[in-house]
Amino acid sequence: MRYAKYFLIILITVYCVSAVLEIASKRESFQWDFQLYYTAAKDMLSGNNPYSQGLYVVRGNYFPCCYPPFALYFFGMFTAFDYNTAYVIFLLFQVAIITSIVLLWRSKIFDKKSGLIFYILSILAFNGTAYLTLRAGNICFLEQLLIWIAFYYFINKKYNYFVFAITLAAQFKLVPIMFLFLILVPENKNKFRRLLLSFVPFGAIMLAQY
């Protein structure tokens, strides 16, 4: 049984390293989302409006810039490097975020005694969604990390931190803001007031951006 465990560890390691090396070595084929928002962020920082630029051409396909300015400022950090360097840095950043999510699940959210099978399912579950997202270069790993941090604070009744984490997650895609309605779940006579106040930071940030 011990040898089977070591074999699985080696197998998972080889799979993960191979996936990262494949994506890193084929810049023309992967992380198209990152290429789109790297270009859009560069336009914005150059004084152009990425939302009025029309569609961006990425790998022969046409895409609009959909993320709000806050997200573009995040991608703007990568424009300090040339695209090829930024590509690799973003890929490593994504790997670090995935690792952080799995460690958060293991240490704070789920049963710590779940064993090796937990890591296998984390990587391969849902038809290899983690790998597919890594290939696309989508920002959703960071979004997911913020959401799970928010859930951790929620189950520990630290609602202000919960609101803060969800507000940050919603700066990339708006859907996570709906999680703020979880504030209505705990019994509290002021929960509707707390819900309304929880939308204030999100609304203020969005108004400031536009």
Side-chain angles (χ1 to χ4, degrees):
M1 188 67 182
R2 183 177 63 179
Y3 293 111
K5 179 180 178 181
Y6 291 148
F7 176 75
L8 285 173
I9 291 173
I10 293 171
L11 200 62
I12 292 172
T13 303
V14 170
Y15 171 80
C16 293
V17 172
S18 299
V20 172
L21 289 177
E22 177 194 21
I23 296 169
S25 63
K26 297 180 179 179
R27 297 182 179 88
E28 71 285 351
S29 302
F30 299 124
Q31 294 205 117
W32 48 87
D33 270 13
F34 174 69
Q35 182 180 348
L36 166 62
Y37 290 105
Y38 175 90
T39 306
K42 209 162 190 175
D43 281 343
M44 185 181 73
L45 295 175
S46 299
N48 299 316
N49 185 346
Y51 305 102
S52 63
Q53 294 287 97
L55 298 177
Y56 286 89
V57 181
V58 179
R59 315 286 161 78
N61 296 305
Y62 295 87
F63 299 94
C65 177
C66 298
Y67 290 172
F70 179 94
L72 294 187
Y73 281 115
F74 168 79
F75 282 101
M77 295 188 298
F78 295 94
T79 64
F81 307 93
D82 65 86
Y83 176 72
N84 287 337
T85 304
Y87 178 101
V88 175
I89 293 174
F90 183 74
L91 176 60
L92 295 176
F93 172 78
Q94 293 275 73
V95 171
I97 292 294
I98 296 171
T99 304
S100 299
I101 293 172
V102 173
L103 292 177
L104 177 64
W105 284 346
R106 181 66 188 271
S107 63
K108 301 295 184 181
I109 306 294
F110 301 123
D111 184 3
K112 296 180 182 180
K113 299 179 181 180
S114 50
L116 186 61
I117 191 67
F118 171 81
Y119 297 102
I120 297 174
L121 291 176
S122 296
I123 296 169
L124 302 178
F126 305 109
N127 201 25
T129 301
Y131 171 64
L132 296 177
T133 303
L134 203 63
R135 284 178 45 155
N138 194 283
I139 197 60
C140 71
F141 285 132
L142 178 57
E143 178 190 12
Q144 287 295 315
L145 177 61
L146 290 168
I147 290 172
W148 281 104
I149 290 173
F151 286 166
Y152 168 73
Y153 284 128
F154 183 80
I155 61 181
N156 285 280
K157 300 181 180 180
K158 297 181 179 180
Y159 301 120
N160 289 336
Y161 293 115
F162 164 76
V163 170
F164 179 72
I166 288 296
T167 300
L168 284 181
Q171 299 307 310
F172 296 96
K173 300 174 185 178
L174 298 180
V175 174
I177 203 65
M178 301 304 293
F179 285 119
L180 289 183
F181 284 98
L182 288 174
I183 289 176
L184 296 177
V185 174
E187 286 300 325
N188 187 300
K189 63 180 181 180
N190 295 318
K191 61 184 179 181
F192 289 101
R193 178 173 175 270
R194 179 183 286 171
L195 175 64
L196 290 175
L197 290 175
S198 71
F199 278 93
V200 171
F202 173 75
I205 294 174
M206 295 304 291
L207 286 173
Q209 292 182 79
Y210 296 103

mmCIF file with all atom_site columns, all heavy atoms in Angstrom, residues 15 18-20 22-23 30 98 123 128-136 141:
data_model
loop_
_atom_site.group_PDB
_atom_site.id
_atom_site.type_symbol
_atom_site.label_atom_id
_atom_site.label_alt_id
_atom_site.label_comp_id
_atom_site.label_asym_id
_atom_site.label_entity_id
_atom_site.label_seq_id
_atom_site.pdbx_PDB_ins_code
_atom_site.Cartn_x
_atom_site.Cartn_y
_atom_site.Cartn_z
_atom_site.occupancy
_atom_site.B_iso_or_equiv
_atom_site.pdbx_formal_charge
_atom_site.auth_seq_id
_atom_site.auth_comp_id
_atom_site.auth_asym_id
_atom_site.auth_atom_id
_atom_site.pdbx_PDB_model_num
ATOM 1   N N   . TYR A 1 15  ? 2.281   14.396 -13.981 1.00 0.00 ? 15  TYR A N   1
ATOM 2   C CA  . TYR A 1 15  ? 1.152   14.973 -14.708 1.00 0.00 ? 15  TYR A CA  1
ATOM 3   C C   . TYR A 1 15  ? 1.160   16.496 -14.603 1.00 0.00 ? 15  TYR A C   1
ATOM 4   O O   . TYR A 1 15  ? 1.021   17.206 -15.612 1.00 0.00 ? 15  TYR A O   1
ATOM 5   C CB  . TYR A 1 15  ? -0.160  14.413 -14.159 1.00 0.00 ? 15  TYR A CB  1
ATOM 6   C CG  . TYR A 1 15  ? -1.400  15.116 -14.692 1.00 0.00 ? 15  TYR A CG  1
ATOM 7   C CD1 . TYR A 1 15  ? -1.916  14.801 -15.949 1.00 0.00 ? 15  TYR A CD1 1
ATOM 8   C CD2 . TYR A 1 15  ? -2.036  16.108 -13.942 1.00 0.00 ? 15  TYR A CD2 1
ATOM 9   C CE1 . TYR A 1 15  ? -3.038  15.455 -16.436 1.00 0.00 ? 15  TYR A CE1 1
ATOM 10  C CE2 . TYR A 1 15  ? -3.161  16.761 -14.428 1.00 0.00 ? 15  TYR A CE2 1
ATOM 11  C CZ  . TYR A 1 15  ? -3.654  16.434 -15.668 1.00 0.00 ? 15  TYR A CZ  1
ATOM 12  O OH  . TYR A 1 15  ? -4.770  17.083 -16.156 1.00 0.00 ? 15  TYR A OH  1
ATOM 13  N N   . SER A 1 18  ? 4.273   18.075 -16.366 1.00 0.00 ? 18  SER A N   1
ATOM 14  C CA  . SER A 1 18  ? 4.125   17.939 -17.823 1.00 0.00 ? 18  SER A CA  1
ATOM 15  C C   . SER A 1 18  ? 3.121   18.952 -18.369 1.00 0.00 ? 18  SER A C   1
ATOM 16  O O   . SER A 1 18  ? 3.345   19.562 -19.420 1.00 0.00 ? 18  SER A O   1
ATOM 17  C CB  . SER A 1 18  ? 3.679   16.523 -18.189 1.00 0.00 ? 18  SER A CB  1
ATOM 18  O OG  . SER A 1 18  ? 4.623   15.575 -17.785 1.00 0.00 ? 18  SER A OG  1
ATOM 19  N N   . ALA A 1 19  ? 2.006   19.131 -17.649 1.00 0.00 ? 19  ALA A N   1
ATOM 20  C CA  . ALA A 1 19  ? 0.981   20.073 -18.088 1.00 0.00 ? 19  ALA A CA  1
ATOM 21  C C   . ALA A 1 19  ? 1.524   21.489 -18.113 1.00 0.00 ? 19  ALA A C   1
ATOM 22  O O   . ALA A 1 19  ? 1.323   22.241 -19.082 1.00 0.00 ? 19  ALA A O   1
ATOM 23  C CB  . ALA A 1 19  ? -0.234  19.985 -17.170 1.00 0.00 ? 19  ALA A CB  1
ATOM 24  N N   . VAL A 1 20  ? 2.243   21.870 -17.058 1.00 0.00 ? 20  VAL A N   1
ATOM 25  C CA  . VAL A 1 20  ? 2.800   23.232 -16.977 1.00 0.00 ? 20  VAL A CA  1
ATOM 26  C C   . VAL A 1 20  ? 3.857   23.446 -18.062 1.00 0.00 ? 20  VAL A C   1
ATOM 27  O O   . VAL A 1 20  ? 3.885   24.489 -18.728 1.00 0.00 ? 20  VAL A O   1
ATOM 28  C CB  . VAL A 1 20  ? 3.386   23.493 -15.578 1.00 0.00 ? 20  VAL A CB  1
ATOM 29  C CG1 . VAL A 1 20  ? 4.147   24.821 -15.552 1.00 0.00 ? 20  VAL A CG1 1
ATOM 30  C CG2 . VAL A 1 20  ? 2.275   23.507 -14.530 1.00 0.00 ? 20  VAL A CG2 1
ATOM 31  N N   . GLU A 1 22  ? 4.112   21.893 -20.926 1.00 0.00 ? 22  GLU A N   1
ATOM 32  C CA  . GLU A 1 22  ? 3.451   21.938 -22.231 1.00 0.00 ? 22  GLU A CA  1
ATOM 33  C C   . GLU A 1 22  ? 2.912   23.343 -22.510 1.00 0.00 ? 22  GLU A C   1
ATOM 34  O O   . GLU A 1 22  ? 3.117   23.910 -23.588 1.00 0.00 ? 22  GLU A O   1
ATOM 35  C CB  . GLU A 1 22  ? 2.307   20.937 -22.283 1.00 0.00 ? 22  GLU A CB  1
ATOM 36  C CG  . GLU A 1 22  ? 1.524   20.972 -23.598 1.00 0.00 ? 22  GLU A CG  1
ATOM 37  C CD  . GLU A 1 22  ? 0.206   20.228 -23.543 1.00 0.00 ? 22  GLU A CD  1
ATOM 38  O OE1 . GLU A 1 22  ? -0.315  20.008 -22.436 1.00 0.00 ? 22  GLU A OE1 1
ATOM 39  O OE2 . GLU A 1 22  ? -0.310  19.888 -24.627 1.00 0.00 ? 22  GLU A OE2 1
ATOM 40  N N   . ILE A 1 23  ? 2.235   23.915 -21.519 1.00 0.00 ? 23  ILE A N   1
ATOM 41  C CA  . ILE A 1 23  ? 1.650   25.253 -21.699 1.00 0.00 ? 23  ILE A CA  1
ATOM 42  C C   . ILE A 1 23  ? 2.752   26.303 -21.826 1.00 0.00 ? 23  ILE A C   1
ATOM 43  O O   . ILE A 1 23  ? 2.660   27.218 -22.646 1.00 0.00 ? 23  ILE A O   1
ATOM 44  C CB  . ILE A 1 23  ? 0.713   25.578 -20.519 1.00 0.00 ? 23  ILE A CB  1
ATOM 45  C CG1 . ILE A 1 23  ? -0.475  24.613 -20.511 1.00 0.00 ? 23  ILE A CG1 1
ATOM 46  C CG2 . ILE A 1 23  ? 0.208   27.014 -20.607 1.00 0.00 ? 23  ILE A CG2 1
ATOM 47  C CD1 . ILE A 1 23  ? -1.313  24.666 -19.257 1.00 0.00 ? 23  ILE A CD1 1
ATOM 48  N N   . PHE A 1 30  ? -1.624  28.544 -26.227 1.00 0.00 ? 30  PHE A N   1
ATOM 49  C CA  . PHE A 1 30  ? -2.323  28.552 -24.941 1.00 0.00 ? 30  PHE A CA  1
ATOM 50  C C   . PHE A 1 30  ? -2.407  29.957 -24.327 1.00 0.00 ? 30  PHE A C   1
ATOM 51  O O   . PHE A 1 30  ? -1.805  30.899 -24.825 1.00 0.00 ? 30  PHE A O   1
ATOM 52  C CB  . PHE A 1 30  ? -1.630  27.602 -23.962 1.00 0.00 ? 30  PHE A CB  1
ATOM 53  C CG  . PHE A 1 30  ? -1.619  26.168 -24.422 1.00 0.00 ? 30  PHE A CG  1
ATOM 54  C CD1 . PHE A 1 30  ? -0.422  25.479 -24.544 1.00 0.00 ? 30  PHE A CD1 1
ATOM 55  C CD2 . PHE A 1 30  ? -2.800  25.502 -24.726 1.00 0.00 ? 30  PHE A CD2 1
ATOM 56  C CE1 . PHE A 1 30  ? -0.403  24.156 -24.962 1.00 0.00 ? 30  PHE A CE1 1
ATOM 57  C CE2 . PHE A 1 30  ? -2.797  24.183 -25.144 1.00 0.00 ? 30  PHE A CE2 1
ATOM 58  C CZ  . PHE A 1 30  ? -1.590  23.507 -25.271 1.00 0.00 ? 30  PHE A CZ  1
ATOM 59  N N   . ILE A 1 98  ? -3.507  27.938 -7.720  1.00 0.00 ? 98  ILE A N   1
ATOM 60  C CA  . ILE A 1 98  ? -4.116  26.600 -7.616  1.00 0.00 ? 98  ILE A CA  1
ATOM 61  C C   . ILE A 1 98  ? -3.618  25.900 -6.354  1.00 0.00 ? 98  ILE A C   1
ATOM 62  O O   . ILE A 1 98  ? -4.398  25.305 -5.599  1.00 0.00 ? 98  ILE A O   1
ATOM 63  C CB  . ILE A 1 98  ? -3.777  25.745 -8.854  1.00 0.00 ? 98  ILE A CB  1
ATOM 64  C CG1 . ILE A 1 98  ? -4.369  26.347 -10.113 1.00 0.00 ? 98  ILE A CG1 1
ATOM 65  C CG2 . ILE A 1 98  ? -4.295  24.313 -8.671  1.00 0.00 ? 98  ILE A CG2 1
ATOM 66  C CD1 . ILE A 1 98  ? -3.892  25.681 -11.385 1.00 0.00 ? 98  ILE A CD1 1
ATOM 67  N N   . ILE A 1 123 ? -7.174  17.918 -8.563  1.00 0.00 ? 123 ILE A N   1
ATOM 68  C CA  . ILE A 1 123 ? -6.514  18.197 -9.840  1.00 0.00 ? 123 ILE A CA  1
ATOM 69  C C   . ILE A 1 123 ? -7.313  17.690 -11.034 1.00 0.00 ? 123 ILE A C   1
ATOM 70  O O   . ILE A 1 123 ? -7.408  18.354 -12.069 1.00 0.00 ? 123 ILE A O   1
ATOM 71  C CB  . ILE A 1 123 ? -5.106  17.563 -9.836  1.00 0.00 ? 123 ILE A CB  1
ATOM 72  C CG1 . ILE A 1 123 ? -4.238  18.231 -8.759  1.00 0.00 ? 123 ILE A CG1 1
ATOM 73  C CG2 . ILE A 1 123 ? -4.449  17.697 -11.209 1.00 0.00 ? 123 ILE A CG2 1
ATOM 74  C CD1 . ILE A 1 123 ? -2.943  17.509 -8.505  1.00 0.00 ? 123 ILE A CD1 1
ATOM 75  N N   . GLY A 1 128 ? -11.084 17.409 -15.630 1.00 0.00 ? 128 GLY A N   1
ATOM 76  C CA  . GLY A 1 128 ? -9.822  18.143 -15.767 1.00 0.00 ? 128 GLY A CA  1
ATOM 77  C C   . GLY A 1 128 ? -10.000 19.636 -15.933 1.00 0.00 ? 128 GLY A C   1
ATOM 78  O O   . GLY A 1 128 ? -9.242  20.275 -16.666 1.00 0.00 ? 128 GLY A O   1
ATOM 79  N N   . THR A 1 129 ? -10.981 20.210 -15.244 1.00 0.00 ? 129 THR A N   1
ATOM 80  C CA  . THR A 1 129 ? -11.268 21.639 -15.379 1.00 0.00 ? 129 THR A CA  1
ATOM 81  C C   . THR A 1 129 ? -10.059 22.500 -15.042 1.00 0.00 ? 129 THR A C   1
ATOM 82  O O   . THR A 1 129 ? -9.816  23.527 -15.692 1.00 0.00 ? 129 THR A O   1
ATOM 83  C CB  . THR A 1 129 ? -12.452 22.031 -14.476 1.00 0.00 ? 129 THR A CB  1
ATOM 84  O OG1 . THR A 1 129 ? -13.596 21.265 -14.849 1.00 0.00 ? 129 THR A OG1 1
ATOM 85  C CG2 . THR A 1 129 ? -12.785 23.500 -14.627 1.00 0.00 ? 129 THR A CG2 1
ATOM 86  N N   . ALA A 1 130 ? -9.288  22.105 -14.019 1.00 0.00 ? 130 ALA A N   1
ATOM 87  C CA  . ALA A 1 130 ? -8.116  22.897 -13.623 1.00 0.00 ? 130 ALA A CA  1
ATOM 88  C C   . ALA A 1 130 ? -7.128  23.025 -14.784 1.00 0.00 ? 130 ALA A C   1
ATOM 89  O O   . ALA A 1 130 ? -6.621  24.123 -15.075 1.00 0.00 ? 130 ALA A O   1
ATOM 90  C CB  . ALA A 1 130 ? -7.441  22.260 -12.407 1.00 0.00 ? 130 ALA A CB  1
ATOM 91  N N   . TYR A 1 131 ? -6.878  21.906 -15.462 1.00 0.00 ? 131 TYR A N   1
ATOM 92  C CA  . TYR A 1 131 ? -5.950  21.929 -16.599 1.00 0.00 ? 131 TYR A CA  1
ATOM 93  C C   . TYR A 1 131 ? -6.500  22.776 -17.739 1.00 0.00 ? 131 TYR A C   1
ATOM 94  O O   . TYR A 1 131 ? -5.769  23.569 -18.352 1.00 0.00 ? 131 TYR A O   1
ATOM 95  C CB  . TYR A 1 131 ? -5.694  20.500 -17.070 1.00 0.00 ? 131 TYR A CB  1
ATOM 96  C CG  . TYR A 1 131 ? -4.928  20.402 -18.360 1.00 0.00 ? 131 TYR A CG  1
ATOM 97  C CD1 . TYR A 1 131 ? -3.618  20.866 -18.449 1.00 0.00 ? 131 TYR A CD1 1
ATOM 98  C CD2 . TYR A 1 131 ? -5.525  19.877 -19.513 1.00 0.00 ? 131 TYR A CD2 1
ATOM 99  C CE1 . TYR A 1 131 ? -2.916  20.793 -19.644 1.00 0.00 ? 131 TYR A CE1 1
ATOM 100 C CE2 . TYR A 1 131 ? -4.824  19.788 -20.706 1.00 0.00 ? 131 TYR A CE2 1
ATOM 101 C CZ  . TYR A 1 131 ? -3.518  20.253 -20.762 1.00 0.00 ? 131 TYR A CZ  1
ATOM 102 O OH  . TYR A 1 131 ? -2.821  20.191 -21.948 1.00 0.00 ? 131 TYR A OH  1
ATOM 103 N N   . LEU A 1 132 ? -7.784  22.633 -18.030 1.00 0.00 ? 132 LEU A N   1
ATOM 104 C CA  . LEU A 1 132 ? -8.391  23.391 -19.126 1.00 0.00 ? 132 LEU A CA  1
ATOM 105 C C   . LEU A 1 132 ? -8.359  24.891 -18.843 1.00 0.00 ? 132 LEU A C   1
ATOM 106 O O   . LEU A 1 132 ? -8.120  25.703 -19.749 1.00 0.00 ? 132 LEU A O   1
ATOM 107 C CB  . LEU A 1 132 ? -9.843  22.923 -19.346 1.00 0.00 ? 132 LEU A CB  1
ATOM 108 C CG  . LEU A 1 132 ? -10.015 21.470 -19.801 1.00 0.00 ? 132 LEU A CG  1
ATOM 109 C CD1 . LEU A 1 132 ? -11.490 21.116 -19.900 1.00 0.00 ? 132 LEU A CD1 1
ATOM 110 C CD2 . LEU A 1 132 ? -9.310  21.231 -21.137 1.00 0.00 ? 132 LEU A CD2 1
ATOM 111 N N   . THR A 1 133 ? -8.595  25.257 -17.587 1.00 0.00 ? 133 THR A N   1
ATOM 112 C CA  . THR A 1 133 ? -8.551  26.672 -17.216 1.00 0.00 ? 133 THR A CA  1
ATOM 113 C C   . THR A 1 133 ? -7.128  27.204 -17.304 1.00 0.00 ? 133 THR A C   1
ATOM 114 O O   . THR A 1 133 ? -6.899  28.345 -17.732 1.00 0.00 ? 133 THR A O   1
ATOM 115 C CB  . THR A 1 133 ? -9.096  26.867 -15.784 1.00 0.00 ? 133 THR A CB  1
ATOM 116 O OG1 . THR A 1 133 ? -10.422 26.338 -15.720 1.00 0.00 ? 133 THR A OG1 1
ATOM 117 C CG2 . THR A 1 133 ? -9.127  28.335 -15.404 1.00 0.00 ? 133 THR A CG2 1
ATOM 118 N N   . LEU A 1 134 ? -6.167  26.393 -16.911 1.00 0.00 ? 134 LEU A N   1
ATOM 119 C CA  . LEU A 1 134 ? -4.759  26.780 -17.004 1.00 0.00 ? 134 LEU A CA  1
ATOM 120 C C   . LEU A 1 134 ? -4.364  26.994 -18.456 1.00 0.00 ? 134 LEU A C   1
ATOM 121 O O   . LEU A 1 134 ? -3.654  27.953 -18.786 1.00 0.00 ? 134 LEU A O   1
ATOM 122 C CB  . LEU A 1 134 ? -3.897  25.689 -16.370 1.00 0.00 ? 134 LEU A CB  1
ATOM 123 C CG  . LEU A 1 134 ? -2.501  26.086 -15.881 1.00 0.00 ? 134 LEU A CG  1
ATOM 124 C CD1 . LEU A 1 134 ? -2.594  27.108 -14.763 1.00 0.00 ? 134 LEU A CD1 1
ATOM 125 C CD2 . LEU A 1 134 ? -1.749  24.853 -15.394 1.00 0.00 ? 134 LEU A CD2 1
ATOM 126 N N   . ARG A 1 135 ? -4.839  26.143 -19.329 1.00 0.00 ? 135 ARG A N   1
ATOM 127 C CA  . ARG A 1 135 ? -4.569  26.295 -20.770 1.00 0.00 ? 135 ARG A CA  1
ATOM 128 C C   . ARG A 1 135 ? -5.116  27.600 -21.304 1.00 0.00 ? 135 ARG A C   1
ATOM 129 O O   . ARG A 1 135 ? -4.482  28.272 -22.123 1.00 0.00 ? 135 ARG A O   1
ATOM 130 C CB  . ARG A 1 135 ? -5.206  25.141 -21.540 1.00 0.00 ? 135 ARG A CB  1
ATOM 131 C CG  . ARG A 1 135 ? -4.481  23.835 -21.440 1.00 0.00 ? 135 ARG A CG  1
ATOM 132 C CD  . ARG A 1 135 ? -5.199  22.740 -22.196 1.00 0.00 ? 135 ARG A CD  1
ATOM 133 N NE  . ARG A 1 135 ? -5.637  23.171 -23.520 1.00 0.00 ? 135 ARG A NE  1
ATOM 134 C CZ  . ARG A 1 135 ? -5.835  22.355 -24.540 1.00 0.00 ? 135 ARG A CZ  1
ATOM 135 N NH1 . ARG A 1 135 ? -5.641  21.073 -24.395 1.00 0.00 ? 135 ARG A NH1 1
ATOM 136 N NH2 . ARG A 1 135 ? -6.241  22.811 -25.688 1.00 0.00 ? 135 ARG A NH2 1
ATOM 137 N N   . ALA A 1 136 ? -6.313  27.958 -20.856 1.00 0.00 ? 136 ALA A N   1
ATOM 138 C CA  . ALA A 1 136 ? -6.959  29.174 -21.374 1.00 0.00 ? 136 ALA A CA  1
ATOM 139 C C   . ALA A 1 136 ? -6.337  30.443 -20.820 1.00 0.00 ? 136 ALA A C   1
ATOM 140 O O   . ALA A 1 136 ? -6.469  31.505 -21.415 1.00 0.00 ? 136 ALA A O   1
ATOM 141 C CB  . ALA A 1 136 ? -8.448  29.138 -21.047 1.00 0.00 ? 136 ALA A CB  1
ATOM 142 N N   . PHE A 1 141 ? -9.018  31.329 -11.451 1.00 0.00 ? 141 PHE A N   1
ATOM 143 C CA  . PHE A 1 141 ? -8.367  30.736 -10.277 1.00 0.00 ? 141 PHE A CA  1
ATOM 144 C C   . PHE A 1 141 ? -8.234  31.760 -9.153  1.00 0.00 ? 141 PHE A C   1
ATOM 145 O O   . PHE A 1 141 ? -8.488  31.453 -7.990  1.00 0.00 ? 141 PHE A O   1
ATOM 146 C CB  . PHE A 1 141 ? -6.989  30.178 -10.634 1.00 0.00 ? 141 PHE A CB  1
ATOM 147 C CG  . PHE A 1 141 ? -7.039  28.888 -11.391 1.00 0.00 ? 141 PHE A CG  1
ATOM 148 C CD1 . PHE A 1 141 ? -6.285  28.703 -12.536 1.00 0.00 ? 141 PHE A CD1 1
ATOM 149 C CD2 . PHE A 1 141 ? -7.831  27.834 -10.958 1.00 0.00 ? 141 PHE A CD2 1
ATOM 150 C CE1 . PHE A 1 141 ? -6.323  27.509 -13.235 1.00 0.00 ? 141 PHE A CE1 1
ATOM 151 C CE2 . PHE A 1 141 ? -7.879  26.635 -11.651 1.00 0.00 ? 141 PHE A CE2 1
ATOM 152 C CZ  . PHE A 1 141 ? -7.119  26.472 -12.793 1.00 0.00 ? 141 PHE A CZ  1
#
